[in-house]
Amino acid sequence: MSPVSRKRKPAKKKSAVSDERRQLLKTVLADAEDALAERDPVEVELMASTILGDLWHPSDEGRDVVLPLIDDAARRPSPAARALLRMLQHLALTEEQRDRAAEAADAFSAMPEPPWDLGDLTVTECWQQADVYGDGATLLLCAARAGHAHGLVAEVELSGGGLGDVYLTDQVGDLVDSMRAGEEASEVFVTERIPLPKARRILEDAVAVNDSAAALLPDVIAEDPLTPLRALVAARLRAMPPAEPPVEPPTFTEQEREELVRAFLAEADGVRDDRWFTDCVRFVVDYGCDDDFGRPLRVGPGKFDLLLEDVLNTEGFPEEFLATLPEVLPPWGRWAGERSGLRPAAIERLLEELDEITEEFRDLLAEEDADFDHETGGAVPIALRRE
């Protein structure tokens, strides 16, 4: 390789990286300029969180684009640069990023501070409206800054499904009243104030599920409602007391699982004494023990929906098993619901929804060209591997 070639290739690569960083800085400084016109700190937080959401990607582990952005902004003293650094000081996702942004912003002593302060945030309480089945909940984190209250609302799938919708509200009192009214009008919702360490555990676990899904399916990142609010949610979590320790799910022995199967077959109405019915019951028990955090007796529309979806996405189930499983779920739902203490109205509501869930399951099985996803795999229970 000639000396000319050796000089040309590195120079071209360096220029491309430099251009990319200059364009990024130009874009975010324009956003920070808009933020300087804001007076509501929550709106500024939302703008900063959106910037960071655009820069975040689960596959970028080890490739930090925010630290270089902070360094580039630190070399461009201006009111907009100081505003950007203050935004990152409070909203950036890592402690190193926040500390470096704060240090750089403090160094701009000749520049005016932004007209807002993103510090002094307090999370005061959390309200939760959860269904009695344990399928899902809506959490309302109530926060205050300089006497101004606002709330962060997060819809959580409690069975390992992560966060659904996430949004901000300034109508905190009205929303709490609405949650209470919803409980009075329904037999399946409970509204209560929960301890902040418990709320943080629920939200941290849910965020981890969303991040895991994003790592497996990068295309869903743009559709994930958490993406533009990830940094803001993380800031609220940091303002809360430490999360309560995670609870290890109980384990069930082979004997305990068989005892549940025998008890159901002996006590429930609508059971049959044949191999496939018994195998399906054992499958439902195993699913609750192994895939529902050690809760074989928990029943709910969400749980049954996930169970049947997993069956559809798993190869190897015999036709007899697939035909029998929808017949097992209603008597199991009633029997296990009674044993777990659900009120009669909640059980009836469950069975109504279960009719629709199993009908859809049968329809999907009947479609010759059903679009099954076999990539998730899954082991067929030992009881189903007989010749």
Side-chain angles (χ1 to χ4, degrees):
M1 180 180 291
S2 69
V4 174
S5 298
R6 286 199 297 269
K7 291 179 181 178
R8 182 183 300 165
K9 188 173 181 181
K12 182 177 181 181
K13 182 177 181 182
K14 182 177 179 181
S15 175
V17 172
S18 179
D19 287 345
E20 181 181 353
R21 284 176 56 166
R22 279 199 297 269
Q23 183 58 46
L24 174 60
L25 180 63
K26 180 180 178 181
T27 300
V28 297
L29 284 178
D31 292 334
E33 190 77 42
D34 292 339
L36 284 172
E38 282 288 346
R39 293 298 181 268
D40 184 352
V42 177
E43 287 295 327
V44 177
E45 286 183 299
L46 186 57
M47 296 172 71
S49 188
T50 301
I51 292 172
L52 290 164
D54 290 340
L55 299 178
W56 180 86
H57 196 287
S59 63
D60 286 343
E61 185 176 355
R63 177 177 174 266
D64 192 335
V65 298
V66 177
L67 286 177
L69 174 63
I70 293 170
D71 293 340
D72 291 344
R75 291 190 287 267
R76 295 281 297 273
S78 68
R82 194 174 207 184
L84 172 64
L85 292 169
R86 290 299 185 208
M87 293 160 75
L88 298 179
Q89 172 186 343
H90 293 283
L91 274 293
L93 290 171
T94 73
E95 185 175 2
E96 182 182 7
Q97 293 166 356
R98 296 191 296 272
D99 288 346
R100 190 178 298 188
E103 182 180 355
D106 290 342
F108 284 178
S109 56
M111 296 294 162
E113 286 282 4
W116 29 257
D117 182 1
L118 303 185
D120 195 28
L121 174 78
T122 303
V123 177
T124 57
E125 61 183 2
C126 179
W127 285 87
Q128 173 185 270
Q129 182 174 82
D131 63 63
V132 297
Y133 309 113
D135 281 338
T138 297
L139 270 60
L140 169 61
L141 284 183
C142 304
R145 179 190 284 115
H148 297 286
H150 64 276
L152 175 72
V153 182
E155 297 179 0
V156 184
E157 294 181 30
L158 297 176
S159 300
L163 284 178
D165 200 9
V166 186
Y167 59 93
L168 294 168
T169 179
D170 55 5
Q171 305 296 321
V172 175
D174 291 343
L175 187 52
V176 172
D177 291 342
S178 176
M179 293 167 74
R180 286 171 165 166
E183 177 183 6
E184 294 177 0
S186 171
E187 294 282 352
V188 298
F189 290 118
V190 176
T191 300
E192 60 184 343
R193 187 188 286 111
I194 64 173
L196 291 179
K198 179 179 180 179
R200 182 167 179 172
R201 169 53 54 206
I202 293 171
L203 290 171
E204 285 186 352
D205 289 348
V207 169
V209 172
N210 283 56
D211 288 351
S212 297
L216 293 172
L217 303 169
D219 291 342
V220 306
I221 294 176
E223 303 172 5
D224 187 347
L226 178 60
T227 298
L229 284 169
R230 175 176 273 95
L232 194 146
V233 170
R236 295 299 176 272
L237 294 177
R238 292 194 298 271
M240 298 168 68
E244 64 181 28
V247 177
E248 288 295 324
T251 58
F252 290 81
T253 65
E254 176 70 18
Q255 180 179 351
E256 289 171 326
R257 297 175 190 223
E258 282 299 319
E259 286 176 355
L260 279 174
V261 173
R262 287 194 296 267
F264 169 71
L265 294 175
E267 299 169 8
D269 295 328
V271 302
R272 293 204 319 264
D273 183 16
D274 66 53
R275 167 198 168 178
W276 292 112
F277 197 94
T278 301
D279 284 348
C280 287
V281 175
R282 176 58 191 263
F283 174 78
V284 173
V285 170
D286 286 341
Y287 187 89
C289 294
D290 301 329
D291 297 294
D292 192 33
F293 307 99
R295 300 178 294 179
L297 292 178
R298 188 183 80 82
V299 293
K303 176 177 179 176
F304 287 143
D305 200 23
L306 286 174
L307 182 152
L308 293 176
E309 182 179 348
D310 286 350
V311 170
L312 287 172
N313 292 336
T314 303
E315 297 183 32
F317 288 107
E319 292 183 7
E320 295 88 345
F321 174 88
L322 296 174
T324 305
L325 183 58
E327 300 175 14
V328 168
L329 296 183
W332 175 268
R334 181 179 295 279
W335 179 81
E338 291 173 351
R339 288 193 57 156
S340 59
L342 286 181
R343 292 174 292 185
I347 294 175
E348 294 306 318
R349 173 77 171 271
L350 165 65
L351 296 178
E352 290 174 5
E353 295 197 37
L354 188 53
D355 283 342
E356 298 180 8
I357 293 170
T358 54
E359 182 180 358
E360 181 180 2
F361 176 75
R362 290 187 176 102
D363 289 344
L364 290 172
L365 289 177
E367 294 177 4
E368 293 182 358
D369 298 325
D371 184 16
F372 295 126
D373 176 11
H374 299 299
E375 295 180 359
T376 57
V380 178
I382 293 176
L384 302 181
R385 299 177 188 163
R386 310 173 195 168
E387 293 296 326

